[in-house]
Amino acid sequence: MIKTTVKDNGFEGILLPGDGSKDRVVIVMSGSNGGMRLTKQCAMFYHRNGIPALALALFGTKGTQPFLDRVPVEFVENAIKWLKDLGYKKIGIDGMSKGSEMALIASSMFEDLSCVIVRVPSYFVSEGLVGKKKDKGPSGTSCWSYKGEELPYAPYKARTFNILKMFLEEKEMHIITFNKDKDIKPESIIPVERIKAPVLILSSKNDTVWPSYESGVYLENRLNEMTFGYEHKHIAYEYMSHAMLTKLPLIYKLAFKAERNNPKGCKKDREQMQNELLKWVNNVW
């Protein structure tokens, strides 16, 4: 295991060596939870299956900004350079939730990314989020930046979020109302046609955080319409919640009705997802 810092290498991450080979490596990112706990867990799945993985921090760590606000795309760019310098031949990327935005943005910009996986994705750039817990709300700025410039984004219509009230009313993490019906201008749509890699899209029909299924359909249709030159596949899961993790922590079982009400269906979806991730990395890539 190798740890990096923004100060030393231009990004913060933890490299897990898998089987020790340098044929390939997957950059892994989680979502608006921030920090490294879930990101490292996602990277650990690949590591335990013999695939080297870099858990990449986006925000909420000692070396990164505290909030999901103008996160530099250079984190991925610098990670690619660092991995190439270490001798890795092929570099893939796997982003979940907000991390899917970064994965699609980065793979549309950097041709060194030769495998793309997006879980519960968004096809456009959203406004950032600042604050903690009950004070969390729209930032008035983009989630992402490059070379000091904000990427064009779709703003939230609601300017305050009462997530606790919504949780008490719905008995789950149910914030899809905040994430629907954004003003999605053409410039905020991620140019996936520039990607030069196979793309695996994993969405949930039971998503109560944001409309990942609709985003998955949009991405699939766009790639089909442009006669995309690489393999691509969209899988929509029937039962699994927005928490598209290979192993679900207890807190997420409590946070989503889908996980509480149909644990067997969610478990089956997760097992299928694990197989799809490994098939994509081992056979398609």
Side-chain angles (χ1 to χ4, degrees), residues 16-24 47 50-52 88:
L16 303 171
D19 62 4
S21 70
K22 294 203 171 177
D23 292 338
R24 60 194 172 163
H47 168 69
I51 302 160
Y88 286 98

Side-chain angles (χ1 to χ4, degrees), residues 228-242:
F228 189 62
Y230 298 84
E231 189 166 343
H232 58 94
K233 184 177 184 180
H234 174 210
I235 302 170
Y237 292 99
E238 294 288 339
Y239 304 110
M240 192 165 28
S241 69
H242 183 82

Side-chain angles (χ1 to χ4, degrees), residues 70-195:
R70 293 167 287 187
V71 176
V73 181
E74 285 91 339
F75 286 169
V76 176
E77 186 175 35
N78 294 334
I80 291 169
K81 181 182 182 303
W82 185 76
L83 290 167
K84 288 175 71 177
D85 288 346
L86 286 178
Y88 286 98
K89 295 180 177 66
K90 296 195 299 183
I91 302 171
I93 195 163
D94 176 345
M96 181 176 67
S97 191
K98 294 300 293 188
S100 74
E101 286 181 36
M102 179 65 101
L104 291 172
I105 291 163
S107 56
S108 73
M109 294 171 66
F110 311 129
E111 292 186 10
D112 285 311
L113 293 171
S114 57
C115 175
V116 180
I117 297 168
V118 287
R119 312 186 206 182
V120 284
S122 171
Y123 67 89
F124 59 91
V125 172
S126 285
E127 183 175 2
L129 294 166
V130 295
K132 294 182 179 179
K133 296 182 179 177
K134 66 181 181 65
D135 297 320
K136 198 170 189 176
S139 64
T141 53
S142 179
C143 275
W144 318 109
S145 68
Y146 187 62
K147 295 186 176 179
E149 298 289 329
E150 293 180 42
L151 300 190
Y153 65 92
Y156 291 98
K157 289 187 176 178
R159 301 316 296 167
T160 57
F161 298 161
N162 194 331
I163 294 173
L164 178 59
K165 181 184 177 186
M166 192 71 81
F167 189 89
L168 293 173
E169 287 177 355
E170 300 290 340
K171 303 296 188 291
E172 69 172 337
M173 181 61 71
H174 192 103
I175 58 173
I176 196 165
T177 50
F178 301 139
N179 281 312
K180 273 188 171 180
D181 303 321
K182 291 179 182 175
D183 186 13
I184 306 168
K185 294 185 171 63
E187 58 269 24
S188 68
I189 295 174
I190 302 167
V192 294
E193 64 274 7
R194 297 178 187 168
I195 295 173

Side-chain angles (χ1 to χ4, degrees), residues 17-38:
D19 62 4
S21 70
K22 294 203 171 177
D23 292 338
R24 60 194 172 163
V25 60
V26 181
I27 298 171
V28 181
M29 302 167 296
S30 60
S32 60
N33 47 290
M36 284 292 282
R37 186 172 62 87
L38 288 184

Side-chain angles (χ1 to χ4, degrees), residues 12-14 16 28-45 48 55-62 96 243 245-253 255:
E12 184 173 341
I14 300 171
L16 303 171
V28 181
M29 302 167 296
S30 60
S32 60
N33 47 290
M36 284 292 282
R37 186 172 62 87
L38 288 184
T39 309
K40 188 178 177 183
Q41 180 193 312
C42 292
M44 190 64 71
F45 167 77
R48 286 174 176 159
L56 179 70
L58 295 176
F59 73 101
T61 63
K62 287 184 179 180
M96 181 176 67
L245 300 156
T246 54
K247 183 180 179 182
L248 195 68
L250 176 61
I251 189 169
Y252 289 100
K253 291 180 183 177

